Each structure stands twice: as structure tokens, then as C-alpha cells.
Amino acid sequence: MRLVTKEKLQELQKRSSSIRNICIMAHVDHGKTTLADSLVACNGIISSRLAGKLRYMDSRKDEQERGITMKSSSIALFHKLGESNEFLINLIDSPGHVDFSSEVSTAVRLCDGAIVLVDVVEGVCPQTKVCLKQAWEENIKMVLVLNKMDRLIVEMKLTPLDAYIHLTQIMEQVNAVMGEMFASSVLGKAETAEETEKKSKSSSSNVYDWSSGLEDVDDSNLYFSPDQGNVIFASAVDGWGFEVKHFAKIFSKKMNMDESLLEKTLWGDYYFNSKTKQITKGAQLKAKKPLFVQLILESLWSLYDTVIIRKDKEKIPKIAESLGIKLSPRDLRHTDCKVQLQALFSQWLPLANAILDMVCEKLPSPLDLSDEKVDKLFCVPSTSLDNLPDEIKRLKSAFKECSISDEAPVTVFISKMFPVDRKNLPINKQRPLTAEEIAQRREMAKQRHAEKLLNLSSKAPDESSSSAGNASPMVVSEGQEDIKQEPEVTVDDDAFIAFARVFSGTLKQGQQLYVLGPKHDPCKALTKFRDGKEIDPSLTLKDLKSGQHISVATVSDVFLLMGRELEVLEEAPAGNIIGIGGLEEHVLKSATLSTSIGCPSFKESQSSLMGEMAIFRVAVEPKNPSEMPALVKGLRLLNQADAAVQVLVQETGEHVLATAGGVHLERCLVDLRERYAKIEINASEPIVPFRETVVHPPKVDMVNEVIQEHNTSVKKVKEDGSDDDGLITVTTPNKRSVLKIRAEPLPENVTDLLLKSGDAIRAMARYHDQRNVPEDEARLKMENLRLESDAAGSEHVPTSTLPGKILSSVEDLRMKLKKEFSQAGKEWEGAENNVWSYGPKRCGPNILLNKIPNAPNLNFWNETSASKGISDEKSEQLSKYSGSFVNGFQLATLAGPLCEEPMMGVCFVVEDWTIMDLVEDETTESGATSMPYGPLSGQIMSGVKEACRKAFQAQPQRLMAAMYSCSIQVNAEVLGLDITLENKDILLENLEISGNVSIATQWNLGKVGISNGSGKSWESQGISSIASEKIFVVTQKSR
Ligand SMILES: Nc1nc2c(ncn2[C@@H]2O[C@H](COP(=O)(O)OP(=O)(O)OP(=O)(O)O)[C@@H](O)[C@H]2O)c(=O)[nH]1
Ligand SMILES: [Mg+2]
């Protein structure tokens, strides 16, 4: 029975300071959903006996079958802290599997706090680090739960002291990750600040400040430590958890000591000196038991020992009495010792209380949004913060105050759309009848029965049989009537509900709001709007043309998210995570709703882009070709429902589904078959993407002999225009332009850095685009602008200054590039200053390097590549055609010469480029200009493309295949055994295994997926976890 009514939750929704929006994050299988069960059970939504077994938040069938979470889902919980402090907690359970990391980022974006779980046996795993990083990047406050403590006792059979040492090590691992992130962010900030300072002062003083900036920054709140009250030790499966504070309270009475002193000393190197009767430091040195071991762990160990290991039933009542607990006779009689254990713990150290108390005390409410987070969420990419128009400033202050008044502008962020079976929508659900209605129905049934009897008795016995025959059509007609009365919905359909958070104002059912797409630019929209351009209210998503990002929608429903259920609300005040109905025609994956058109749009987070890397592709087709339209519709719905999925239609007409990995793919196919398309579908074998790259010429051959100079293949390529060391010279057909390009492998670290920094480069490139391409148009625009501003009599505000956000991330990238290049060797030193472009798509992991003598203005970093530093006629010529040059490079890197796959890790060094002036005589003599070959810009573009491809071919070429880089944790028992993963045998024989170790290995993405779904379970094979990450690795020699 639910203990809290909807009305109570609604009342709390209005008190922003009493709301906590939190998310549970961890590596896969560390126990998030099990923990959520305990929290759900404490609100009476599920029985406490089922907590930990039901995994209530895993509502999908495949989630239950496979035992992993695939979608994040939210539930509203009530908690009372102390006597009178009531809280509403919107809890989101997120998946831990690497394939679903986009689900985590969509959840994190809406939260203010996070519970990070770590399995104490496995320790910090790759996804744990990812979670910590995601939370850090989103400025989310975290608390730590060290889960599965029972495994230390029952499985690992550690002594309490060993367990304590083990726990301190795990705490150190977690804090090391925090420290690393903290240091890099502080150093990053210090470096950019220093750079700007340097620029402005142009180094007037010769005293260099050697301090890194780390010393001055307060990091005391950063780390997890039990004495700070942000760590809980728990076993989600057995339903217990505690903070040291809890024991401090108990022992302060028992030992007659100060509670706060105990709080500080219960964790750490302190022991109880029995002579002086005082707590003293230095337990390790004196070989004493730390207080944590003596007072806490030993009691836990002895409880487990009695109940689980020795199964000593006699002693249980005594233990219960000593703990001041009353067990019911039913529990005492129970044959399963786990039930008794849970009964004891549920009263002694109830998990839900410990967790929710800490959440309410330590995690922030929506009112405590940090400035940094507000800036991040409320960011207008094309303007710096100081230049914001007044309207946006007003929106921002309402946003920051989380104001719920009716006058406040409404801002709602939608982070994903999720499907709900229409049958399960509250409107289509049967409402429980009230007592009156039940009585009424009973009365009607009685009457009907009486009538029937009367009819029967009035008819002759011979007629009765025929009337029985007639009865059936009557029943049918009644049934038909019933069907007619049902609401007219196609019940087997899905409704898409927006997963959203109200940031300011109060969202009301029936309200009309602007829907702002992810690419919406508030400044532009405001100007247009002022010019009298109205938004057509009839437009939906599919009517929007490119460049249009605004539509108007009516909120048909507001829902309270209750895990598997939705409940109807009339309104939702700021600060709450809710579901919104009626937007499927307006929102694809994410969007912003607002009463004002000047509201900046909600950007997809960087980590969601980073994590998804949709490289696992299959071609799909309907089994029955005539069902193509159903497939197309299904793919469209799937695309809407899943942030990490990409649906592509190839030139051949093939439909390709790109997913984040094997498990994700399977889930998508199930969804497509059963939910969205509802047809049989054939999926091809996974198409594994390749990347093309070049490597350094090998120094030794296959039999390890040093390759002689004259044998190297590189040197021989003469006929294609390359000279001895791979320098390619290409002349445009009209002979006006000559260019010389060489390909070189980029240092590995630089490639990695570029892959990670896609966002910064993309932002900068987009900014360049806005400014420079197409050149004539831009010039026109600039002139218009000038005219306009002159007319208005105002000073021309340079709209071109790089917004601060982009500037700092670009500066950061430049610093990092500098570091990596200088570490890569002498030949690369200073290369970062000559970067001209990145490719493909202007942000990829390949570089175009400008080493043209006297053409320094062809540079990626220049704010305005076309207008700065123009020195002479030559470079002016080059700048003019720079766009074509870069485009040629983009084309070449998009499809390499080996198999038309994108390139990766290649640096194209442009050693020279000249453009000759038109020679007048030639033109007149031949009677034609250069026109037969088309415009020069086109010639340059194809020339560059050709030169890049040839330069690439002049080096040893390699294909790179996508691989899973895995670390597998196994138990010692599997030593020397074969294990099977996805039908592929992986021999662990040759690997050294001792205890719980992780093995790093790489698998070809195409052959195996990492999944514990098929065949034998991981556990039965002795594997406790597999972590994987997708990378590209050079695998094949192509020549
Ligand atoms: N021994 C022990 N097992 C636990 C504990 N908590 C969870 N488990 C088990 O760990 C397994 C995974 O638990 P889940 O709650 O599904 O893990 P999760 O973190 O939600 O996993 P994903 O959502 O797939 O990332 C289940 O078999 C649980 O029974 C615990 O405290 N002790
Ligand atoms: Mg889960």
C-alpha cells in the first residue's frame, strides 16, 4: 500500500527547498536498481519483502530477463527527516552498461545531485570513472555508497581488519579520480587565465609565478570521507546501510563520549586506549584495531557469522534483544536465514533511511543551483554573457531563483522522449471505484438478475432453450456497445512522453508554449520576432524547414513520474522532474519549452556525444518487402525514443541502424519488432566501420632484418608525382596553382586528444563558418550590418567576438595540443600554431598543417582567418581560395583511398602552395581563359583532394578496425578454464590470474558483442564483470 498520497506529493512540489532531484549512478551491476528497490519499498510502493528481488525500476521485460537496466526511469518519493522536515525526492535510476551511457547523461542533466555506487569487491571500474566525470562536468554534487559489503564477509571471507584496509583503498581510488578531475580543471582554468593575462600585459614583469593555482583553491568539500557524512556503507541486497554518524550516536551514550568527537574519529587511524579511556591516533603504528573495526565492522561480522554462516537460530533472539529490536515470531520461525538477517537489519540499520537522510542533508535543492551550472544550462552560444539582451537576462534570473509564481516565465527542459503504452496512460486506465459506485453497480446487477429470473419464469419451458440461443447475440451486442463506449484511442499504440524538468514558472495542463529545438538561437529569434515574424501555431516538427527551430505546442498532460506508473497532475511548479504529454509531434529527442521565444535552448551534453559513438551498425529490412512503410515508421519512432540511436538511409536505399554496441542493438531490434514497427525484421550481420590511416615506414621487415634504404616502398612512388619522401606535387589543370602536400601519421596522443575535443573544434569551426563562408555573402552581410547600425546611429558592436565559452575551450585545446606535440618529438614542436583545419566534417581526428612559406594567416586559430594579418598580395590570393583548399582536405579525409572510409590520425602537411596571376598574353593568344577547366576554386578543391589521396598512398597505409577494449574481472576459480562469451571461446589459460584481477583485452567489434545475455551467465563462468570501451585499433596491413 502506498504510504503517501498524490496530494501530499503535490503539496511538496510547491516547496522548492524541500525537493531533491537525484540520480543513482554506477558501473554496471554495482546494485543501483537493487538499492532503488529499498527506497521504493520505504514508500510502500512495493512490499519490503520483495525489495532487492523485484527490481521495480527495471520495468521492461528484457531488463528483467537480462538483469540489466537499459532505460533510466524516475520515481517520486517522500521522506521525512527528523520529526517534521518533509521532502520530495525525484529519484532516477540509470543504467550502468556502457552502451547506454547516453541514458545516463540525459538523466544527469536534470538532476542536482547524485548517489554514486561502488561495489566494494570490484572497486572503481571504468564506468564508475565515467559517472564521476559526468557528474563533475554537470556540476552535480555527489554522495558515495560503498555497496555489497556483505560480499566482503560471505564471499571474500575477509577479517574485519582486512576489510577495513580494503575499504580505505577503495575510498582512495574514488578520491584519486575526484582529485584528478579537480586538478585538471583548476590547472586548465589557471592556464587560460594566465594566457589571457599574458596577452593583455605582454609580459611586462619578469617574475614568473610558479604556483599552479592549486594551492589557493579550497578542495575540502571535494572528497568523500565518512567523517564528512557523505559516505554510506551498505548492502543493498540485504537492505542495510549506515553512516558513521549513526554509530557515533549509539556509542556516545554507551561510552559516555562526545558524539561529534566520535563522528570524526570512527573512521580513520584512531583507536580506543583502554588505559587512558581515550580515543588516540596511531592505531596502525601501535598495531591496534581502529575504532571502525572494533565498534562497527566486528558487530556486523558477528551478526553475519551467527545468522548466515553458522545459522545459529538459538542466538538470534538474543542478538535482537541486545540491539533493542523485536522480531516477529513469523520471522524467527522462518527457515531461510536470509529472511531473518533482513528482518534484523531492516530495524537496526534500515538502508532507505540512511540513504534518504543523507540525500536530504547533503545534496542541494533546486534553489541551490550553482552559478556555474546556471551558466552552463542557460548558455547562449553566439553571444557572450555580458551582451545578453534584457529579455534573456530576465529569464535567467527567474531560472536562477527557481521562481514558481504564476507571473514567472516558464522554462522547461526536455532531455528525452520515452514511449509509454497508451493502455498504461492514466486516462485509459481503469480507475478504482469509489464505495458509492460499487454499491450502485451492485444494485444494478441485482435488478438485472431479478429481471432475468422474471423473464425466464414468464416463458414456456420449450421456449427457454431458444431464448438461451438468442441470448448469445444479445450478449455480443452488449459487448459491442461496451467497446463503443471506450475512448477512441488506438490502444496498442505508444504515446511519447517528454522526460522533463521545470526550471522556472509553473507548467500547467493546457498551456501553450514555444517549443525550441536544440539549434535555436534566442538572439536571432528575438530580432525576427520583433520584426513582426510570427510563429505559425499549426506547424509541427515535420513542417519545420531547415533554419526553423520554433513551433508552438499545447501541453496536453502533465504527469508525476512514479516508476512504472504515471499520475495526472494539473500543474508542475519549478524544480520538479515530470512527464509531459502531447508533444510527440513537436519534439524529436530533446527540446526546451518556454513562454518566451528568447529562452536559450537546452544543449545536448558533451558526454552524451562522447559516450555514444554509434559505430555498431546493421542494415535492416522487413521480412515481407511490402511492409517497408511500417519499418520506416518504426525507425522514425525508435529514433525519437532513443538518444543514442542513429537511423541512416544509404544511397542504395538500405536502412541502416547505428547503435552504441551489441546490447544496445539487440534492445533496438526488440523495440522495433515488438513496439514500433510490429513486423518481422531481418537484420544484417553488424557492419563494422573502419578507419584509414598511415603509419611510419617500418624499420625492420617481417624476418626482423633492417630494411635497406633502397628497399622501402615509399621511395619508389615516382610516377604519381611524389618525390623521394612522399611529397606530392599537384598542379591545377589550368596550371595556375601548384601545391605540395605530404602525409604523416599524427602522434597517437594528438589523435586521441582530437577525438575527445570534437565539441570545441566544432564550435570554433561553426563560428568560422558563420563568419567566412560563403565569402561574398558574408561581406554583403557585414556591409548591411554596418549600414543598419549607421542608420540606427549606434556604434557598430562587433558581433564577431568569440563568445567566452568557446574561447576558453579552444584555448584549452590549444594548450593541450601544444603539450602533446612537444612531447611527440622535435619535428612536431610548434605544430599547433600551424593547424589550418581539422577533418573530416571540420572537427575530425586529422589535421591540415600549414607550412607554406609566408602564409601565416591560413590558420585555424585566427579569429577571422580571412581578414587578419593580410600582409601582401600573395597571401591575399591564398586567403581568397583558402576555403576551397580546406574543402578539398575535408573531402579527402572523409573517404580515404583504401576503401572510402574516413581517415583517422593523418596529418597533411602543406609544404607549398602558389597561385599565379593570369598571364594576359596567354589568354589572348589561345583565345580562351582558364574557364574550360571550370572556376579556379573548383580546380583547387579537386587538386587538394587528389594530392591528399596520393600523399596518403605514398605512405604505408593501414586500416583500423573498431574494437572493444575490455577489462574482465574474474574469480580465481576460473584459472585455466575456457570461458565462452557470445559463442566465442576466450582462453584464459595463458593469462595470469590470481584472485579478483582484471584482464585487459581487445575484441573485434564485428565478431563479438559484450553481453551477458546469451547462453551461460557471466557469474556461472566466474566472470564478475566486464567493462568495455570502444576504440579503433590498427589491425591490418594493406601493403
Ligand atoms: N551480494 C550482493 N549482491 C548485490 C547487492 N546489491 C545488488 N546485488 C546484486 O548485483 C546484481 C546487480 O544488481 P542491479 O541492482 O541490477 O545492478 P545495477 O547497478 O542496477 O545494474 P545495471 O542497471 O545493469 O547497471 C544483482 O544480481 C543483485 O542481486 C549487494 O549489496 N550484495
Ligand atoms: Mg539497474
Side-chain angles (χ1 to χ4, degrees):
M1 243 284 280
R2 235 172 91 176
L3 302 175
V4 194
T5 59
K6 187 175 93 180
E7 288 67 35
K8 181 85 211 169
L9 294 178
Q10 271 176 305
E11 183 196 317
L12 285 169
Q13 280 192 329
K14 293 192 186 117
R15 278 195 257 147
S16 313
S17 59
S18 308
I19 301 174
R20 298 288 180 272
N21 294 316
I22 57 161
C23 156
I24 314 183
M25 313 165 86
H27 185 76
V28 63
D29 265 355
H30 280 197
K32 296 173 287 294
T33 313
T34 313
L35 177 87
D37 261 7
S38 289
L39 309 186
V40 174
C42 84
N43 267 230
I45 297 165
I46 60 172
S47 131
S48 56
R49 277 177 198 276
L50 290 177
K53 299 185 190 81
L54 197 61
R55 289 192 293 112
Y56 179 75
M57 301 298 275
D58 284 354
S59 50
R60 293 168 57 101
K61 198 166 128 238
D62 48 0
E63 284 180 328
Q64 285 288 342
E65 280 168 7
R66 283 186 159 218
I68 60 171
T69 309
M70 302 188 183
K71 288 268 183 191
S72 40
S73 45
S74 172
I75 190 161
L77 299 174
F78 169 81
H79 183 63
K80 205 166 181 180
L81 184 68
E83 284 304 306
S84 57
N85 271 343
E86 293 178 332
F87 287 89
L88 165 69
I89 294 154
N90 292 311
L91 176 84
I92 305 180
D93 177 32
S94 72
H97 193 287
V98 60
D99 278 10
F100 306 116
S101 44
S102 71
E103 283 287 323
V104 186
S105 36
T106 51
V108 170
R109 297 231 84 188
L110 299 189
C111 291
D112 304 310
I115 304 176
V116 177
L117 243 69
V118 176
D119 176 340
V120 286
V121 173
E122 293 187 358
V124 172
C125 293
Q127 269 323 96
T128 319
K129 289 186 192 158
V130 173
C131 293
L132 291 169
K133 189 148 185 272
Q134 272 181 327
W136 173 268
E137 279 172 1
E138 294 287 342
N139 300 79
I140 276 183
K141 193 140 189 245
M142 292 174 263
V143 290
L144 180 70
V145 175
L146 296 177
N147 191 29
K148 304 203 187 181
M149 288 279 289
D150 59 304
R151 290 183 71 190
L152 298 181
I153 312 172
V154 183
E155 260 176 55
M156 290 179 75
K157 304 201 166 46
L158 295 183
T159 63
L161 186 61
D162 287 345
Y164 167 74
I165 295 167
H166 183 83
L167 290 172
T168 51
Q169 285 164 351
I170 289 186
M171 203 87 80
E172 274 167 24
Q173 288 174 9
V174 182
N175 282 332
V177 181
M178 296 300 291
E180 216 173 275
M181 289 186 302
F182 175 72
S184 67
S185 93
V186 172
L187 291 179
K189 272 180 202 157
E191 271 172 6
T192 19
E194 203 178 283
E195 278 284 299
T196 29
E197 204 171 294
K198 247 192 230 164
K199 269 186 201 159
S200 60
K201 278 192 188 164
S202 66
S203 74
S204 56
S205 83
N206 45 13
V207 183
Y208 185 76
D209 180 12
W210 286 101
S211 70
S212 58
L214 268 180
E215 300 81 0
D216 310 332
V217 189
D218 177 25
D219 62 352
S220 56
N221 279 331
L222 174 77
Y223 297 108
F224 296 109
S225 169
D227 57 359
Q228 297 259 345
N230 55 11
V231 178
I232 280 182
F233 301 89
S235 163
V237 124
D238 293 336
W240 59 265
F242 64 86
E243 271 183 75
V244 287
K245 205 170 73 177
H246 179 87
F247 281 94
K249 199 171 190 178
I250 298 175
F251 286 107
S252 68
K253 281 185 206 134
K254 276 195 186 170
M255 296 163 71
N256 203 10
M257 273 192 184
D258 184 24
E259 193 177 325
S260 60
L261 175 78
L262 269 173
E263 263 179 44
K264 294 280 168 243
T265 52
L266 261 178
W267 176 262
D269 196 26
Y270 300 96
Y271 71 101
F272 184 69
N273 190 331
S274 48
K275 277 185 204 146
T276 57
K277 302 263 180 259
Q278 265 177 353
I279 293 173
T280 321
K281 205 173 166 125
Q284 204 183 358
L285 206 69
K286 300 233 170 84
K288 299 276 184 193
K289 276 184 205 159
L291 280 180
F292 191 74
V293 176
Q294 194 186 359
L295 300 183
I296 304 178
L297 292 189
E298 284 190 347
S299 334
L300 287 173
W301 258 244
S302 85
L303 211 151
Y304 267 90
D305 186 52
T306 316
V307 183
I308 298 286
I309 299 169
R310 285 192 286 117
K311 299 195 173 54
D312 192 347
K313 285 205 173 161
E314 313 287 288
K315 270 199 171 172
I316 294 176
K318 275 188 207 148
I319 295 179
E321 203 185 305
S322 71
L323 294 173
I325 292 170
K326 272 209 171 135
L327 285 186
S328 70
R330 189 171 152 220
D331 286 332
L332 278 173
R333 274 200 311 271
H334 211 287
T335 45
D336 187 355
C337 53
K338 271 265 179 186
V339 173
Q340 285 156 347
L341 185 84
Q342 282 162 5
L344 276 172
F345 274 126
S346 66
Q347 292 184 52
W348 184 32
L349 301 170
L351 176 63
N353 271 12
I355 300 269
L356 294 180
D357 279 358
M358 187 166 77
V359 162
C360 296
E361 281 171 7
K362 292 284 167 188
L363 295 181
S365 78
L367 286 181
D368 306 325
L369 274 187
S370 71
D371 286 352
E372 238 173 300
K373 184 154 174 139
V374 174
D375 283 349
K376 206 175 255 175
L377 289 173
F378 215 84
C379 138
V380 185
S382 60
T383 327
S384 66
L385 284 178
D386 329 320
N387 286 352
L388 282 183
D390 286 344
E391 171 133 14
I392 304 186
K393 278 190 188 147
R394 205 168 54 83
L395 284 170
K396 189 169 174 175
S397 67
F399 188 96
K400 211 173 154 188
E401 285 159 17
C402 189
S403 103
I404 64 168
S405 78
D406 279 344
E407 293 80 48
V410 178
T411 311
V412 181
F413 283 169
I414 297 172
S415 81
K416 67 167 184 178
M417 299 291 283
F418 65 96
V420 175
D421 207 333
R422 268 187 216 276
K423 269 187 287 200
N424 292 338
L425 284 182
I427 359 162
N428 298 329
K429 262 199 172 165
Q430 274 188 344
R431 181 171 53 90
L433 299 176
T434 58
E436 267 173 38
E437 282 169 328
I438 293 174
Q440 219 174 9
R441 288 206 175 188
R442 198 177 292 140
E443 202 50 46
M444 273 159 66
K446 261 188 204 162
Q447 272 180 16
R448 236 181 287 146
H449 188 66
E451 275 171 29
K452 234 185 223 169
L453 282 181
L454 216 98
N455 277 346
L456 277 180
S457 59
S458 66
K459 277 172 193 156
D462 54 347
E463 278 174 14
S464 73
S465 65
S466 66
S467 83
N470 287 342
S472 59
M474 211 175 87
V475 172
V476 171
S477 72
E478 260 178 31
Q480 275 168 349
E481 236 164 62
D482 274 353
I483 290 168
K484 262 186 214 155
Q485 278 166 5
E486 275 192 11
E488 277 186 50
V489 273
T490 34
V491 180
D492 59 342
D493 229 12
D494 276 322
F496 277 83
I497 307 293
F499 189 63
R501 169 163 169 182
V502 187
F503 276 91
S504 74
T506 297
L507 180 75
K508 295 198 171 112
Q509 198 185 8
Q511 196 169 17
Q512 239 192 12
L513 293 166
Y514 292 113
V515 182
L516 313 167
K519 288 187 185 153
H520 158 76
D521 183 338
C523 294
K524 276 190 200 159
L526 277 176
T527 330
K528 269 192 195 164
F529 207 54
R530 246 172 244 138
D531 292 347
K533 278 193 190 148
E534 289 286 335
I535 309 294
D536 179 358
S538 64
L539 287 185
T540 61
L541 192 63
K542 60 180 187 298
D543 309 319
L544 293 183
K545 298 196 188 73
S546 86
Q548 285 184 317
H549 306 291
I550 310 171
S551 66
V552 180
T554 308
V555 173
S556 68
D557 297 288
V558 181
F559 296 112
L560 182 69
L561 300 172
M562 291 299 295
R564 301 180 181 190
E565 318 266 324
L566 296 171
E567 285 187 24
V568 178
L569 295 173
E570 288 82 47
E571 56 174 38
N576 286 289
I577 293 179
I578 44 142
I580 308 174
L583 298 176
E584 52 253 272
E585 299 293 322
H586 293 271
V587 181
L588 182 65
K589 294 187 185 193
S590 73
T592 309
L593 302 184
S594 179
T595 38
S596 160
I597 208 155
C599 181
S601 68
F602 184 36
K603 295 281 164 311
E604 261 150 39
S605 73
Q606 194 177 343
S607 7
S608 80
L609 295 167
M610 187 181 72
E612 65 198 22
M613 199 169 152
I615 53 172
F616 201 89
R617 297 166 177 218
V618 289
V620 285
E621 57 174 21
K623 218 170 201 170
N624 180 355
S626 66
E627 290 173 332
M628 199 62 183
L631 177 69
V632 173
K633 179 184 153 230
L635 286 171
R636 187 173 51 79
L637 293 175
L638 177 69
N639 187 33
Q640 184 167 30
D642 194 322
V645 111
Q646 273 180 26
V647 176
L648 318 159
V649 183
Q650 303 233 307
E651 279 170 19
T652 51
E654 220 172 21
H655 289 268
V656 173
L657 190 66
T659 58
V663 186
H664 185 212
L665 171 74
E666 272 176 46
R667 198 206 71 203
C668 289
L669 288 178
V670 169
D671 277 353
L672 206 53
R673 286 192 184 112
E674 294 175 3
R675 192 151 202 181
Y676 303 127
K678 297 204 179 77
I679 53 167
E680 277 298 303
I681 287 168
N682 290 337
S684 69
E685 283 285 301
I687 310 164
V688 189
F690 287 99
R691 296 286 182 268
E692 301 186 13
T693 193
V694 290
V695 294
H696 288 289
K699 299 233 165 48
V700 289
D701 64 11
M702 307 252 301
V703 283
N704 260 353
E705 282 182 10
V706 175
I707 298 172
Q708 297 297 314
E709 280 279 292
H710 61 268
N711 272 348
T712 48
S713 53
V714 189
K715 307 265 170 182
K716 283 186 283 177
V717 205
K718 276 275 183 189
E719 65 276 15
D720 58 2
S722 71
D723 77 351
D724 272 359
D725 56 353
L727 185 71
I728 302 286
T729 310
V730 167
T731 313
T732 52
N734 66 354
K735 307 274 188 296
R736 273 192 62 200
S737 178
V738 181
L739 42 103
K740 292 184 178 177
I741 294 183
R742 182 203 316 280
E744 273 176 40
L746 270 179
E748 231 170 79
N749 289 348
V750 175
T751 315
D752 286 348
L753 176 64
L754 294 183
L755 282 175
K756 281 186 207 134
S757 321
D759 268 351
I761 306 178
R762 205 175 296 127
M764 180 81 178
R766 215 176 285 148
Y767 170 78
H768 272 326
D769 281 354
Q770 277 175 4
R771 303 215 12 89
N772 302 327
V773 183
E775 287 155 33
D776 297 339
E777 218 175 273
R779 211 172 304 134
L780 260 178
K781 255 190 207 159
M782 285 304 283
E783 273 160 21
N784 282 348
L785 258 179
R786 218 165 293 140
L787 281 178
E788 275 172 24
S789 59
D790 286 350
S794 66
E795 228 176 285
H796 173 55
V797 187
T799 47
S800 57
T801 46
L802 249 186
K805 276 264 147 58
I806 304 182
L807 189 66
S808 70
S809 62
V810 169
E811 279 297 332
D812 186 40
L813 168 69
R814 194 172 173 166
M815 295 300 293
K816 285 186 185 151
L817 265 181
K818 184 175 174 179
K819 195 171 130 221
E820 295 301 347
F821 273 130
S822 62
Q823 279 174 2
K826 251 202 151 142
E827 69 275 23
W828 289 106
E829 230 157 74
E832 75 282 353
N833 298 324
N834 297 332
V835 175
W836 185 356
S837 179
Y838 301 91
K841 298 190 177 160
R842 300 175 151 260
C843 59
N846 303 286
I847 288 183
L848 184 67
L849 208 63
N850 168 15
K851 287 211 177 157
I852 309 168
N854 304 326
N857 53 332
L858 302 179
N859 194 319
F860 177 80
W861 309 109
N862 280 355
E863 276 191 22
T864 51
S865 62
S867 62
K868 251 195 188 174
I870 297 170
S871 50
D872 55 27
E873 216 173 295
K874 180 190 165 190
S875 44
E876 199 169 347
Q877 275 272 28
L878 295 186
S879 308
K880 193 169 157 199
Y881 290 104
S882 151
S884 315
F885 201 107
V886 169
N887 284 346
F889 160 76
Q890 299 296 341
L891 288 177
T893 47
L894 188 64
L898 281 174
C899 53
E900 303 298 324
E901 289 282 344
M903 292 183 189
M904 178 165 158
V906 189
C907 178
F908 290 100
V909 186
V910 188
E911 307 244 317
D912 202 4
W913 179 30
T914 48
I915 299 178
M916 271 154 286
D917 287 331
L918 273 182
V919 184
E920 294 294 328
D921 305 347
E922 259 180 36
T923 350
T924 43
E925 265 172 39
S926 60
T929 57
S930 54
M931 285 321 271
Y933 305 109
L936 185 60
S937 55
Q939 291 181 41
I940 290 178
M941 191 157 82
S942 50
V944 173
K945 184 182 168 197
E946 186 195 333
C948 286
R949 282 172 83 103
K950 279 187 180 161
F952 183 93
Q953 283 169 312
Q955 302 295 333
Q957 311 162 59
R958 295 287 185 272
L959 276 182
M960 300 173 96
M963 306 276 271
Y964 270 123
S965 161
C966 310
S967 53
I968 317 171
Q969 297 225 342
V970 295
N971 304 334
E973 299 97 67
V974 293
L975 193 69
L977 296 181
D978 283 6
I979 54 163
T980 316
L981 287 166
E982 292 266 312
N983 310 325
K984 188 181 158 85
D985 288 346
I986 287 163
L987 199 63
L988 293 186
E989 211 169 35
N990 303 328
L991 300 162
E992 275 177 41
I993 302 169
S994 57
N996 276 281
V997 291
S998 39
I999 311 161
T1001 182
Q1002 287 168 358
W1003 277 313
N1004 195 320
L1005 197 64
K1007 301 221 176 80
V1008 289
I1010 313 293
S1011 133
N1012 66 349
S1014 67
K1016 286 187 263 176
S1017 72
W1018 284 355
E1019 286 80 7
S1020 72
Q1021 299 181 64
I1023 301 176
S1024 47
S1025 95
I1026 295 192
S1028 57
E1029 184 186 23
K1030 277 152 276 167
I1031 53 166
F1032 278 100
V1033 180
V1034 174
T1035 54
Q1036 258 169 294
K1037 284 188 181 175
S1038 67
R1039 65 185 241 184

